[in-house]
Amino acid sequence: MEILKDPVILWFLIGLFCVIAEFFAPGVIIVFFGVGAWVVSLLCLGMELGAPYQITVFIVVSIGSLMLLRRRFNPEPDGSPDLTDDFIGRTAVVLEPVQRGRPGRVTFKGAAWKAETTSEALLEKGRYVSIVRQESIVLFVEPIQEQENRRV
């Protein structure tokens, strides 16, 4: 474990972990902390930085890059992203059965999402459903007729 005492390698591995973790978490947030860790790793290559400075640079770069990117791509004037157009009224496919009071999972845009319904019907695996609401990482779905046009 002598190798982990080198701050260049340690920060590089932290960055790598964050970038890999981004593939398993919805949203694009963790990758910015990976970028922050890699910036610290590069700075440690050229100069001797103490731990407080390393942590400060990590926090400033991570949060700064996150805020800069969100501000740049956020079309809403109040600062909150409006993703409802990307979800509401769109079609998803049930991966794990969804029943009122018992969440399941659906697939939408190539990703698996936790899903809930207020419908009394059991939404079985493979069924097409319509997204009626989104709250954070939970999609609220309702059954649709098979002959309706589907936009997945």
Side-chain angles (χ1 to χ4, degrees):
M1 287 293 141
E2 191 70 28
I3 197 166
L4 293 180
K5 291 184 181 179
D6 182 1
V8 174
I9 294 173
L10 180 63
W11 283 108
F12 176 80
L13 292 175
I14 291 170
L16 183 63
F17 173 78
C18 290
V19 170
I20 291 171
E22 185 66 51
F23 289 105
F24 299 101
V28 180
I29 294 176
I30 302 171
V31 72
F32 294 107
F33 292 92
V35 169
W38 283 345
V39 167
V40 174
S41 179
L42 289 173
L43 286 176
C44 288
L45 274 175
M47 61 182 82
E48 193 71 31
L49 291 177
Y53 293 113
Q54 292 175 23
I55 293 170
T56 301
V57 169
F58 170 70
I59 291 170
V60 168
V61 171
S62 298
I63 294 176
S65 62
L66 175 65
M67 299 307 289
L68 178 67
L69 188 67
R70 280 189 165 219
R71 187 175 312 163
R72 187 173 186 188
F73 292 104
N74 189 353
E76 293 300 307
D78 67 351
S80 61
D82 182 13
L83 300 176
T84 54
D85 289 342
D86 290 342
F87 293 87
I88 307 304
R90 302 294 297 269
T91 300
V93 179
V94 177
L95 289 176
E96 295 173 6
V98 183
Q99 189 173 12
R100 187 176 190 169
R102 195 183 88 200
R105 296 188 67 74
V106 297
T107 183
F108 176 67
K109 289 191 174 183
W113 295 80
K114 182 177 177 183
E116 295 184 18
T117 187
T118 56
S119 170
E120 295 297 326
L122 170 65
L123 307 176
E124 296 178 345
K125 181 178 179 176
R127 177 157 189 174
Y128 289 94
V129 291
S130 178
I131 301 169
V132 295
R133 187 169 89 231
Q134 177 206 4
E135 290 181 11
S136 185
I137 60 170
V138 178
L139 300 180
F140 288 81
V141 297
E142 298 296 330
I144 59 174
Q145 300 300 322
E146 291 299 319
Q147 60 267 30
E148 287 185 24
N149 291 332
R150 293 185 279 279
R151 298 182 298 150
V152 179

